[in-house]
Amino acid sequence: MARLAQTYGLTDVQQEILATVRDFVDKEILPVATELEHRDEYPQRIVDGLKELGLFGLMIPEEYGGLGESLLTYALCVEEIARGWMSVSGIVNTHFIVAYMLRQHGTEEQKEHFLPRMALGEVRGAFSMSEPALGSDVSAITSKAVKDGDDYVLNGQKMWLTNGGTSTLVAVLVRSDEGHPRDAPPHRSMTTFLVEKEPGFGEVRPGLTVPGKIDKMGYKGVDTTELIMDGLRVPADRVLGGTTGRGFYQMMDGVEVGRVNVAARGCGVARRAFELGIRYAQQRHTFGKPIAQHQAIQFKLAEMATKVEAAHAMMVNAARKKDSGERNDLEAGMAKYLASEYCKEVVEDAFRIHGGYGFSKEYEIERLYREAPMLLIGEGTAEIQKMIIGRRLLEEYRFEG
Ligand SMILES: Cc1cc2nc3c(=O)[nH]c(=O)nc-3n(C[C@H](O)[C@H](O)[C@H](O)COP(=O)(O)OP(=O)(O)OC[C@H]3O[C@@H](n4cnc5c(N)ncnc54)[C@H](O)[C@@H]3O)c2cc1C
């Protein structure tokens, strides 16, 4: 796809990385994605290939063995990967968030201990805020850590861990009111723990159980799990950043870059849906001509392409803002909101263009149709994005009269 979703002003290195990823997607991901997805099979060969490309260390600083690239480079790679298969971008994403949180908030010992092995993809990250009774309302977390000698003892149940089974390092957000006044606001009494574990299911460490994979409508291949902590002992030096009570802010920082990532996934899936739609529209004939020659279909294609362009531009803007060191919560919220809504709409239009065949599992659009809704939920629903956007706008445009 030559014309849409171009990004101007990229360095030679960025262009080279993107060309390599695009080639990998075309050769190694697209040809097998739908088949693996239908079997809900973990794409081990693809993951091994991404490791070789250095993708797991893309944003990890060079001093820790990574490529030290920007959020923009990362987001553009994610867009390409999601164009091939969204689940693969999910495998990279939680790893990337945990590495980012370590880079921003970890102690020097924690960085040295984890980041070099994360850059190689040997240690793989998952992050865990959600619980069975909460997702949007993070302040309602009930999982708890209690200090016991040099350790903390963690109890509680977590929900919806992307890469919960395959990861070996989970950043877990729990309540820990030790050292804080009882009436402290909930977000000041939360702590992120870095929990190392074996990959797999069942008891993966004493006091820590990953029961099994959640059966999902889409986003298959990548494992999504629960996590049960029952007397899990974690040493105090595995508190992210070394100080309790900062977990909420650390996680929100991670989720903010995660939102750019989800926007990028929306861009990638929408671009693929557009490609499938415009190709099919030129192959299928009705009433004596290709359906692409009916104005109603052309209008659909025009709307789809416009949405692909707009979402890409907003995603790039949000990434560049963060890379420039500025606060980007407004831009990231807008990009995530717009890209995920547009993605759903573009996929729906491509599905309609396919007529009855869109309903057949033989056609790729059927997979995309089941994948797009996940983006409306992950890293905060549309309603949560609008809350963030609205609050920030009122800060920016405060009426002083
Ligand atoms: C496939 C998948 C993977 C996931 N991976 C992870 C992961 O790796 N780590 C992790 O921690 N979590 C993960 N999640 C959880 C995800 O972040 C939550 O599902 C999401 O934040 C929404 O929370 P909820 O499902 O509890 O919905 P709820 O918070 O219960 O919301 C239900 C509905 O109410 C709306 N709503 C809620 N509050 C308000 C409000 N104040 N005003 C208006 N509307 C409101 C929501 O927008 C939504 O429409 C994953 C979820 C899925 C489906």
Side-chain angles (χ1 to χ4, degrees):
M1 176 51 52
R3 177 96 188 199
L4 293 185
Q6 297 292 310
T7 315
Y8 295 100
L10 297 180
T11 63
D12 289 348
V13 173
Q14 286 176 314
Q15 288 182 29
E16 202 179 307
I17 293 173
L18 268 181
T20 308
V21 172
R22 204 171 289 141
D23 189 54
F24 182 81
V25 168
D26 284 337
K27 292 191 179 132
E28 307 293 336
I29 301 185
L30 271 171
V32 294
T34 300
E35 207 182 313
L36 291 178
E37 200 269 354
H38 287 166
R39 292 207 300 263
D40 198 2
E41 186 175 318
Y42 188 77
Q44 190 57 54
R45 269 190 56 177
I46 293 174
V47 170
D48 292 342
L50 293 178
K51 269 190 206 171
E52 265 175 48
L53 292 181
L55 255 285
F56 285 99
L58 197 61
M59 262 189 87
I60 292 176
E62 284 169 303
E63 58 184 302
Y64 299 107
L67 297 177
E69 271 298 322
S70 63
L71 180 59
L72 177 63
T73 314
Y74 178 77
L76 293 174
C77 289
V78 165
E79 183 181 25
E80 294 299 334
I81 293 171
R83 177 182 157 267
W85 184 12
M86 194 183 89
S87 296
V88 178
S89 63
I91 290 171
V92 185
N93 180 43
T94 63
H95 177 87
F96 150 78
I97 293 180
V98 177
Y100 172 83
M101 283 167 52
L102 269 160
R103 189 189 89 178
Q104 296 298 107
H105 307 287
T107 63
E108 198 45 51
E109 184 276 328
Q110 290 168 350
K111 289 182 201 178
E112 277 168 20
H113 184 72
F114 291 113
L115 288 179
R117 287 180 298 139
M118 289 186 88
L120 294 173
E122 284 171 6
V123 169
R124 299 265 302 287
F127 86 100
S128 173
M129 295 195 293
S130 304
E131 296 184 357
L134 64 103
S136 309
D137 186 7
V138 177
S139 67
I141 279 179
T142 59
S143 297
K144 207 165 163 36
V146 176
K147 189 98 200 281
D148 183 27
D150 289 338
D151 295 342
Y152 286 85
V153 178
L154 275 57
N155 283 289
Q157 190 175 347
K158 291 292 186 180
M159 186 74 191
W160 295 118
L161 277 85
T162 303
N163 299 309
T166 40
S167 59
T168 52
L169 171 65
V170 188
V172 188
L173 186 65
V174 301
R175 194 165 291 287
S176 63
D177 48 13
E178 164 245 2
H180 299 279
R182 260 190 191 288
D183 57 352
H187 55 274
R188 285 230 301 271
S189 56
M190 288 195 196
T191 298
T192 305
F193 285 89
L194 299 166
V195 177
E196 289 170 89
K197 69 173 187 66
E198 290 297 317
F201 300 97
E203 194 172 29
V204 287
R205 169 180 172 162
L208 188 69
T209 302
V210 179
K213 283 192 337 184
I214 298 170
D215 199 10
K216 298 164 296 190
M217 73 183 265
Y219 201 39
K220 289 174 184 279
V222 57
D223 48 298
T224 310
T225 73
E226 296 171 52
L227 184 89
I228 297 162
M229 299 174 288
D230 183 11
L232 169 69
R233 297 192 83 83
V234 183
D237 62 7
R238 288 298 167 255
V239 167
L240 178 64
T243 312
T244 56
R246 295 187 181 162
F248 185 83
Y249 297 106
Q250 294 163 342
M251 282 278 178
M252 289 305 128
D253 190 23
V255 165
E256 205 170 285
V257 290
R259 283 186 181 135
V260 176
N261 173 291
V262 173
R265 287 199 233 174
C267 293
V269 174
R271 184 141 59 94
R272 183 63 186 161
F274 172 77
E275 288 169 12
L276 295 173
I278 198 162
R279 187 170 73 196
Y280 188 83
Q282 294 167 82
Q283 291 167 333
R284 181 72 173 175
H285 287 66
T286 66
F287 301 95
K289 53 186 175 184
I291 58 171
Q293 296 306 323
H294 297 300
Q295 195 181 46
I297 299 292
Q298 270 180 30
F299 277 12
K300 264 196 210 309
L301 294 170
E303 284 167 16
M304 290 158 74
T306 307
K307 288 172 182 172
V308 167
E309 281 296 89
H312 179 82
M314 286 194 76
M315 179 273 287
V316 168
N317 181 48
R320 284 198 158 130
K321 195 101 183 169
K322 187 80 179 175
D323 286 334
S324 71
E326 286 180 71
R327 184 174 171 185
N328 85 333
D329 53 349
L330 178 68
E331 291 75 12
M334 284 178 165
K336 195 273 165 181
Y337 168 53
L338 187 103
S340 57
E341 296 291 330
Y342 275 3
C343 174
K344 184 201 67 169
E345 291 169 18
V346 172
V347 167
E348 165 101 36
D349 274 346
F351 168 79
R352 286 174 191 258
I353 287 173
H354 279 73
Y357 288 104
F359 214 65
S360 159
K361 278 186 174 283
E362 269 184 46
Y363 283 74
E364 198 180 324
I365 192 64
E366 179 271 343
R367 168 169 67 79
L368 271 52
Y369 196 85
R370 288 181 290 102
E371 286 175 340
M374 153 61 191
L375 299 171
L376 302 171
I377 308 291
E379 315 290 2
T381 62
E383 288 73 25
I384 297 303
Q385 304 312 317
K386 284 192 254 186
M387 280 163 60
I388 295 166
I389 295 166
R391 273 193 214 125
R392 279 292 284 131
L393 289 175
L394 288 169
E395 269 176 50
E396 290 284 334
Y397 292 85
R398 197 183 300 278
F399 178 58
E400 305 285 358

